[in-house]
Amino acid sequence: MQDTMLLGLEGIKKNILHGGTGDIPKFITGAKVTFHFRTQLCDAERTVIDDSKVVGTPMEIVIGNMFKLDIWETLLSSMRIGEVAEFWCDTIHTGIYPLVAKSMRRIAEGKDPVDWHIHTCGMANMFAYNSLGYDDLDELRREPKPLYLSLELMRVQQPSEYDRETWALSDEERLKVVPVLHGHGNKLYKQGQYQEATQKYKEAIICIKNVQTKEKAWEVPWLKLEKMANALTLNYCQCLLRMEEYYEAIEHTSDIINQHPGDFKAYYLRGKAHAEVWNEAEARQDFSRVLDLDPGMKKAVKRELAVLNMRMEEKNQEDRNKYRGMF
């Protein structure tokens, strides 16, 4: 069906390629929409930028959840189930597409779309800002162009018809689910299921960070959320220690210490991680800092120092035995 029409919005034209069935669904706040999409340049070759069918996984968004490419909500709300339509969208609607596409591609590659756990120096961050990691998206960001967005509407589920994952929650709902995830993580930790516990802690941290980005940095609401996130990150680090991921634990605790140098728990866990990788001087320095910040930790620190002394003596003896045979 080649029925071209305008949606009543500047910079959008719709062309129905295959008609759907029934009435247009109710796209109310909280409804989950499942659809396939293909994005193409408006050039002679109709160059394909992204295609969810090639990836093999349809896209899901929740209406009213402030998805970055909000024009999708507008386009989808004009469609029926089973309909396939092509939309020409001017740059006023597609300027942010490269950033959204980067996140979608990282998800498809099995990577974290926000890289919350990856830390780089300021110089590296500067270069990262200048590149999205995909040449075609970098080019599209430098020179925004109109795009063809082809959509196939597969399903619309009302809020009561599906179990909502944390990404589909409102900010208020995210904050309510954080203590639930925290509790599940603690239970899994006590059961020795450390990998599973890290997933619960990480999910809770992401919920908090999503809400925190909407607060002004270093003001009271932001600091309350920061305190919650740090507590969960330290729990996450305890799991890392149990999983012998010592360097990642050092990385996360160092981040907390750099922002909040009075957090004695971060020094304590970093000291334990340093001790495990034979960083004796760093471990002793961290444990000393713990005592400065909280003298009540004296017994725990004394125990860790005793373990450190024993481990260093064992290592020194191993080194002596190894070098003795060389001369």
Side-chain angles (χ1 to χ4, degrees):
M1 183 186 301
Q2 297 295 321
D3 182 15
T4 302
M5 68 182 86
L6 298 177
L7 288 185
L9 288 177
E10 181 184 356
I12 298 178
K13 296 179 182 179
K14 178 180 179 181
N15 183 20
I16 298 177
L17 305 180
H18 178 77
T21 58
D23 296 328
I24 293 178
K26 295 180 180 179
F27 292 87
I28 67 173
T29 299
K32 182 165 73 171
V33 184
T34 304
F35 61 99
H36 274 297
F37 74 94
R38 183 174 66 239
T39 306
Q40 296 171 279
L41 294 177
C42 299
D43 56 11
E45 295 78 20
R46 298 290 291 267
T47 303
V48 176
I49 301 174
D50 293 295
D51 190 332
S52 63
K53 288 190 174 181
V54 172
V55 174
T57 304
M59 186 67 186
E60 293 182 343
I61 65 172
V62 174
I63 299 299
N65 202 38
M66 297 181 68
F67 187 77
K68 290 180 180 177
L69 196 65
D70 55 3
I71 189 59
W72 266 350
E73 289 192 14
T74 301
L75 306 183
L76 289 164
S77 65
S78 73
M79 300 177 67
R80 293 172 169 81
I81 301 298
E83 180 179 325
V84 180
E86 180 182 79
F87 299 86
W88 175 87
C89 298
D90 204 352
T91 53
I92 59 174
H93 303 294
T94 62
I96 199 170
Y97 182 84
L99 294 173
V100 177
K102 174 189 175 181
S103 295
M104 294 189 296
R105 291 183 186 185
R106 288 188 62 83
I107 292 171
E109 293 165 3
K111 300 175 182 178
D112 192 324
V114 294
D115 287 345
W116 75 274
H117 61 292
I118 297 175
H119 308 278
T120 54
C121 68
M123 185 64 72
N125 279 330
M126 182 181 73
F127 285 113
Y129 176 80
N130 290 328
S131 175
L132 296 174
Y134 303 94
D135 291 342
D136 58 340
L137 298 183
D138 286 339
E139 174 65 23
L140 191 57
R141 185 169 67 161
R142 282 192 296 269
E143 296 184 28
K145 299 178 177 68
L147 297 174
Y148 284 116
L149 301 179
S150 298
L151 307 177
E152 178 183 349
L153 180 58
M154 301 170 65
R155 184 169 62 248
V156 177
Q157 294 170 281
Q158 302 307 316
S160 61
E161 297 176 344
Y162 69 97
D163 294 328
R164 301 175 71 185
E165 300 177 50
T166 53
W167 65 267
L169 302 178
S170 66
D171 287 349
E172 183 179 359
E173 291 169 327
R174 286 191 178 106
L175 293 180
K176 286 182 179 179
V177 83
V178 165
V180 177
L181 292 169
H182 195 164
H184 287 169
N186 290 348
K187 183 177 181 180
L188 290 167
Y189 179 86
K190 291 177 181 178
Q191 294 172 347
Q193 300 180 54
Y194 305 120
Q195 184 66 51
E196 293 80 1
T198 62
Q199 294 305 311
K200 296 298 182 183
Y201 293 141
K202 180 177 176 181
E203 192 174 355
I205 291 167
I206 291 174
C207 282
I208 293 171
K209 291 298 183 181
N210 281 332
V211 178
Q212 191 183 31
T213 57
K214 298 165 188 174
E215 302 290 349
K216 191 170 182 179
W218 300 105
E219 292 195 350
V220 172
W222 186 94
L223 288 170
K224 287 182 178 179
L225 294 169
E226 180 81 348
K227 185 176 181 180
M228 292 167 60
N230 286 347
L232 284 158
T233 301
L234 293 176
N235 284 11
Y236 180 87
C237 289
Q238 286 181 313
C239 292
L240 293 177
L241 291 177
R242 294 286 190 172
M243 294 159 60
E244 300 183 0
E245 300 287 349
Y246 304 122
Y247 289 104
E248 187 180 348
I250 290 171
E251 188 175 24
H252 287 305
T253 49
S254 294
D255 281 347
I256 292 177
I257 289 167
N258 289 338
Q259 291 290 328
H260 308 279
D263 195 320
F264 71 90
K265 292 181 182 178
Y267 281 105
Y268 181 71
L269 292 180
R270 190 173 72 171
K272 287 169 66 73
H274 276 309
E276 292 289 349
V277 293
W278 315 108
N279 294 340
E280 181 181 11
E282 291 85 349
R284 293 187 184 280
Q285 184 176 6
D286 279 344
F287 289 137
S288 176
R289 185 66 177 138
V290 171
L291 292 179
D292 291 339
L293 293 169
D294 187 357
M297 291 288 291
K298 183 176 181 179
K299 185 176 180 180
V301 169
K302 184 177 180 180
R303 182 174 62 248
E304 294 299 333
L305 288 173
V307 173
L308 176 62
N309 290 335
M310 181 177 65
R311 285 176 55 80
M312 295 309 301
E313 179 56 35
E314 290 174 352
K315 183 176 185 299
N316 292 335
Q317 184 60 49
E318 289 177 5
D319 290 344
R320 286 194 291 268
N321 292 339
K322 180 171 63 177
Y323 292 126
R324 186 181 297 123
M326 296 176 63
F327 299 99

